[in-house]
């Protein structure tokens, strides 16, 4: 096949959704001025946008397969935090040049994750410019259910999925490695942490499963403390957290030790785990619902009444611990 | 007010949709993991994405008010070409630095055009990086009506709105001006053409009005020949165009002369006028419907049966004219 370099041929060669079986709710996909989609009468839409920019969110030599995966995953994570079922995405891809090997790898990985979550690519824009990927993801919500940030109430238990801090630790390892001239072999634990950074798993089914029982939820993209703060602010409450309950992976502890691991867990970004709150009366139902989901979750604290001076209090056992001076990921 | 420079404060300061009266179909706007929106049972969604990148789609010294206007307008134009009523947009804004004066001007203009078309900002992402704006726009369609590219049939008349070529001529003038050292005053006609380039008017109401009668439509972003070709390809037909019917503005002719004006009209991009086709039996109804819209439209030719060798034939009066060797805007 002659390889053409214009926008239309890039879309045709690498992002041709028409060769795939479309979702039933996609009436018209790529190839017209707009896509046309449908939702059922008892559904609402959840819509989110996330951009990844070279040099800010990823290194310029990132494997395009990892990049495509992550660009989709971070958007699906927002849908998961809302309790939505992923449905369609639009891809705005800005590329410095047409690199066919790069595009082939990127698009293969891109459709792999879309297929895994039964999501259709319905449109987008391919332009020349500094490498960046902006995705708008659309999910479906039952009309009466959504996991918002503003529903946490005093007494609710605070949970997180999976383990925290792995992604930030993985990023630190990648940065270390780039600073070295020699190509040292990675331990299994190090490989695990880097994988957690490059391939975060959006908690899609989990989010949908807890939606009827949780009072609030957010995905942890900027670090536990920063993201939990969003729930607390929007719900006008405070929280107490038990440091010794933080779910830390054995790999994280093995590579960095407990103290550093805790810091990563509290302040490290890009875990893409869910943090959610549940009223005491709903905990038993929630646990029953989650039996078959296969994702660990841990109660790490409890919602308290509003406290203007101290939004989050930390304890280790019965002992109070000072809040580390951390902030979520800020790139400006 | 203390001016903070992180992402959250930029959104709060400049893109705070919560101070505005939201549309009734927006259940939850900016400030959570996703926006939540609703559509009526008899509606479908039209979704489109367009990106503008510095140095490719606009000069780096563009007035941020013009940039905000155009970034929204080009997306609304895609909705118009589908016959959709604009509803919500997501904004992915990538900025090299936090320039408060720039952001204030950009966001004021941004909300001005949104308010004009009754569109709500429902979310997005603000990141650091080379300046670019990616917008995903959502429109509402009656369940049984949409203006697609694939419906043109032999015998249908081909129409365009407004006048063609002004925008490309305006861009040429801007480029000329940048090449000059002196700041020569612009004539009224030149100012008009530049305005047509910087502030294209999306044919939103027009698109909705023709939707019941037109057989196909597209907005002219890459030039008449390139965009009409998309309709012809998707509809498996060809077209004959009458050069002497091309709607050329007096300003375009005054500044560039008829011959150059025709070239701009045929091949110049970014007019954001609509090109649409109508079956003969629907023309009278269409004209009645358009009486009150106040946008000019012109019949410029007719759809012919498929012709693999010649998709578009040009005539001036009865005389055949060779197709100029032009292509739509290609930035790779």
């Amino acid at each position: 096949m002659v390889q053409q370099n214009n926008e239309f041929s890039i879309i045709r060669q690498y992002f041709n959704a028409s060769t795939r079986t479309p979702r039933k709710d996609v009436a018209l996909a790529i190839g017209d001025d707009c896509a046309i989609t449908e939702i059922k009468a008892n559904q609402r839409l959840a819509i989110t946008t996330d951009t990844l920019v070279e040099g800010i969110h990823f290194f310029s030599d990132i494997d395009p397969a990892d990049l495509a995966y992550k660009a989709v995953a971070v958007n699906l994570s927002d849908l998961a935090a809302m309790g939505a079922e992923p449905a369609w995405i639009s891809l705005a891809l800005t590329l410095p040049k047409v690199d066919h090997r790069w595009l082939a790898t990127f698009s293969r990985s891109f459709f792999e994750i879309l297929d895994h979550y039964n999501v259709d690519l319905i449109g987008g824009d391919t332009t020349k410019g500094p490498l960046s990927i902006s995705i708008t993801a659309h999910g479906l919500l039952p009309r009466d259910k959504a996991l918002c940030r503003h529903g946490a109430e005093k007494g609710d238990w605070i949970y997180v999925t999976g383990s925290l801090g792995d992604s930030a630790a993985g990023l630190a390892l990648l940065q270390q490695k780039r600073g070295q001239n020699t190509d040292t072999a990675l331990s299994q634990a190090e490989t695990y942490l880097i994988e957690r950074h490059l391939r975060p798993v959006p908690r899609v089914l989990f989010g949908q499963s807890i939606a009827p029982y949780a009072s609030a939820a957010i995905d942890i993209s900027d670090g536990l403390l920063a993201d939990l703060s969003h729930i607390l602010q929007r719900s006008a409450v405070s929280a107490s957290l038990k440091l010794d309950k933080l779910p830390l992976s054995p790999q994280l502890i093995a590579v960095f030790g407990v103290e550093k691991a805790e810091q990563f867990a509290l302040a490290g970004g890009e875990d893409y785990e869910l943090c959610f709150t549940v009223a005491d009366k709903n905990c038993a139902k929630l646990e029953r619902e989650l039996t078959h989901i296969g994702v660990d979750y841990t109660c790490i604290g409890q919602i308290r009444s509003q406290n203007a001076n101290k939004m989050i209090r930390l304890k280790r056992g019965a002992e109070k611990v000072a809040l580390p001076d951390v902030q979520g990921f800020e790139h400006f």
Side-chain angles (χ1 to χ4, degrees), chain A:
Chain A
M1 184 199 290
V2 178
Q3 291 188 324
Q4 286 177 285
N5 283 348
N6 69 28
E7 180 184 349
F8 302 118
S9 71
I10 291 173
I11 294 167
R12 227 179 1 252
Q13 264 183 272
Y14 299 109
F15 298 102
N16 193 348
S18 72
T19 60
R20 318 175 82 82
T21 311
R23 287 174 58 99
K24 287 212 179 84
D25 52 14
V26 176
L28 187 69
I30 292 172
D32 215 300
D33 296 296
C34 298
I36 300 179
T37 61
E38 292 168 358
I39 68 171
K40 293 189 189 125
N42 58 354
Q43 290 176 326
R44 296 194 295 178
L45 277 169
I47 306 173
T48 183
T49 299
D50 260 310
T51 304
L52 301 185
V53 178
E54 178 182 317
I56 306 292
H57 302 94
F58 58 90
F59 298 117
S60 54
D61 58 355
I62 189 172
D63 182 335
D66 289 334
L67 180 58
Y69 175 91
K70 194 157 176 180
V72 175
V74 301
N75 277 282
L76 297 188
S77 179
D78 278 319
L79 293 180
M82 217 69 197
E85 175 200 336
W88 330 300
I89 72 164
S90 308
L91 167 70
L93 180 60
T94 304
L95 297 168
K97 62 177 192 290
V98 177
D99 175 338
H100 289 283
R101 185 181 296 189
W102 193 97
L103 275 163
T105 310
F106 182 92
S107 69
R108 198 180 315 115
S109 166
F110 179 79
F111 282 115
E112 248 171 48
I113 178 168
L114 290 200
D115 289 350
H116 182 80
Y117 290 99
N118 189 26
V119 174
D120 271 19
L121 175 66
I122 53 161
D125 196 7
T126 310
T127 51
K128 185 178 165 72
L131 183 59
S132 88
I133 297 126
S134 188
I135 286 179
T136 296
H138 301 80
L140 303 171
L141 283 168
R143 196 161 269 271
D144 55 344
K145 267 190 250 165
L147 274 175
C148 298
R149 295 179 182 177
H150 56 69
E153 289 187 16
K154 182 182 165 184
D156 290 359
W157 298 102
I158 303 168
Y159 290 84
V160 292
T161 56
S163 59
L164 300 184
D166 295 339
S167 174
L171 175 60
L173 290 172
L174 281 176
Q175 283 166 328
Q176 264 177 36
K177 230 181 118 202
R178 293 172 67 85
Q180 292 165 353
N181 288 322
T182 53
D183 206 3
T184 337
L186 291 166
S187 70
Q188 254 189 340
E190 287 172 326
T191 306
Y192 169 86
L193 295 174
I194 290 172
E195 185 76 5
R196 290 271 289 162
H197 177 71
L198 295 176
R199 298 267 178 163
V201 178
R203 301 306 186 185
V204 169
L205 259 187
F206 195 98
Q208 292 172 66
S209 303
I210 62 173
Y213 310 109
S215 51
I218 192 168
D219 69 323
I220 303 177
S221 54
D222 296 334
L224 174 64
L225 295 179
D227 288 310
L228 175 59
S229 297
H230 293 311
I231 289 185
L232 302 178
Q233 275 167 347
R234 300 270 294 190
S235 304
V237 291
S238 73
S240 74
L241 295 186
K242 291 179 190 292
L243 272 182
D244 32 19
K245 298 289 184 194
L246 281 184
L248 306 174
S249 71
Q251 292 89 342
L252 179 59
I253 294 171
V255 179
F256 286 96
V258 171
E259 197 181 337
K260 187 80 185 138
E262 269 181 7
Q263 283 174 28
F264 279 131
L266 290 173
E270 303 201 73
D271 280 319
Y272 298 104
E273 298 292 351
L274 297 182
C275 173
F276 58 101
T277 60
V278 187
D280 195 65
K281 67 176 166 50
N282 284 327
C283 286
K285 283 181 236 165
L286 180 92
E287 280 175 29
R288 265 201 307 280
E289 182 72 27
L290 291 174
T291 317
H292 303 290
I293 296 293
V295 174
D296 289 335
Y297 57 98
T298 313
C299 180
I300 58 167
Q302 197 170 18
I303 296 294
R304 308 286 184 202
S305 53
Q306 191 163 23
N307 180 334
N309 299 319
K310 202 143 201 177
M311 204 150 57
I312 299 176
R313 276 152 294 177
L314 294 183
K315 279 188 175 178
R316 190 185 313 279
E319 178 203 350
K320 283 183 192 167
V321 178
L323 197 65
D325 181 23
V326 292
Q327 287 191 284
F329 179 67
E330 286 183 10
H331 47 248
F332 278 111

